[in-house]
Amino acid sequence: MSATFKRHGDGVRMELESFEVELLAELRDGLHRQLVDGDHADPVMQRLFPAQVAPEDEFVDMEVRDLIYDDLLRERLAGLEALHAIIDRGKPHRGRLRVDLKHDEAPLMLGVLNDLRLAIGARIGITKLDRDEVDEDHPAAYPVAVMDHLAWLQEQLLSIIDPASVSSEGPEV
């Protein structure tokens, strides 16, 4: 499988396989529904909107969460809408969907991929899951594979946006 994200001049080019287009659309739609429904007891909502911001003071914590919730929700929904627009403007090229990301879209895409990974992880209880026990017949096998694929996409994009952050040698001095 070839790289999905590549440097293209001063920008970033994204080329998605058809399964990636379908997967991102499905994940985007599912997370959008989850965010709009907003059941705060759901593990996805708890992961994307932390329960404690200022744990030392319950009143301050509640005020801070109330202040940031709407902004976080608006940002996440805008990111999902932007992903929709990015995919829609893509053009077929050699069996893939090609789109050149605009200047601000690469970091936005990185954030959306992260939100999608976090949502999947929360849904399957990744913190309680022993990945060594996840074989191909395990119910979490597909979600874990999707999370790993999204992580691979994130790493590619991050290596373009901030190469030092993914360098095995660390940042240059």
Side-chain angles (χ1 to χ4, degrees), residues 15-25 95-97:
E15 290 188 3
L16 297 169
E17 299 284 345
S18 59
F19 84 89
E20 291 171 313
V21 172
E22 292 171 19
L23 177 65
L24 287 174
R96 299 179 82 172
L97 183 78

Side-chain angles (χ1 to χ4, degrees), residues 5 7 110 153-167:
F5 295 100
R7 170 79 48 207
L110 194 60
L153 295 176
Q154 281 182 286
E155 185 174 344
Q156 289 178 54
L157 189 51
L158 194 56
S159 72
I160 295 169
I161 295 172
D162 185 13
S165 68
V166 293
S167 170

Side-chain angles (χ1 to χ4, degrees), residues 71-139:
D71 288 340
L72 285 174
L73 178 61
R74 196 172 13 263
E75 285 177 25
R76 287 193 164 98
L77 290 172
L80 295 172
E81 290 302 317
L83 174 61
H84 182 72
I86 290 167
I87 290 173
D88 277 356
R89 91 166 181 265
K91 304 286 185 224
H93 179 77
R94 298 183 183 175
R96 299 179 82 172
L97 183 78
R98 175 185 278 181
V99 61
D100 291 328
L101 299 180
K102 297 175 184 172
H103 175 69
D104 61 340
E105 289 176 335
L108 181 133
M109 189 74 170
L110 194 60
V112 170
L113 291 170
N114 190 58
D115 285 349
L116 294 172
R117 274 186 59 237
L118 290 173
I120 294 167
R123 179 68 59 223
I124 65 172
I126 196 73
T127 57
K128 299 174 191 149
L129 187 66
D130 181 357
R131 286 182 67 130
D132 292 335
E133 294 179 6
V134 178
D135 62 16
E136 63 187 37
D137 296 325
H138 193 284

Side-chain angles (χ1 to χ4, degrees), residues 22-85:
E22 292 171 19
L23 177 65
L24 287 174
E26 181 182 323
L27 293 173
R28 177 199 67 223
D29 292 347
L31 183 55
H32 186 272
R33 278 191 304 276
Q34 180 66 47
L35 292 174
V36 170
D37 290 344
D39 178 4
H40 295 290
D42 187 276
V44 172
M45 295 298 282
Q46 290 176 0
R47 181 65 180 105
L48 293 177
F49 301 93
Q52 289 190 321
V53 180
E56 66 281 350
D57 186 329
E58 187 176 321
F59 179 76
V60 169
D61 183 63
M62 186 175 68
E63 283 188 340
V64 171
R65 280 187 288 125
D66 287 347
L67 287 173
I68 64 173
Y69 178 83
D70 289 339
D71 288 340
L72 285 174
L73 178 61
R74 196 172 13 263
E75 285 177 25
R76 287 193 164 98
L77 290 172
L80 295 172
E81 290 302 317
L83 174 61
H84 182 72

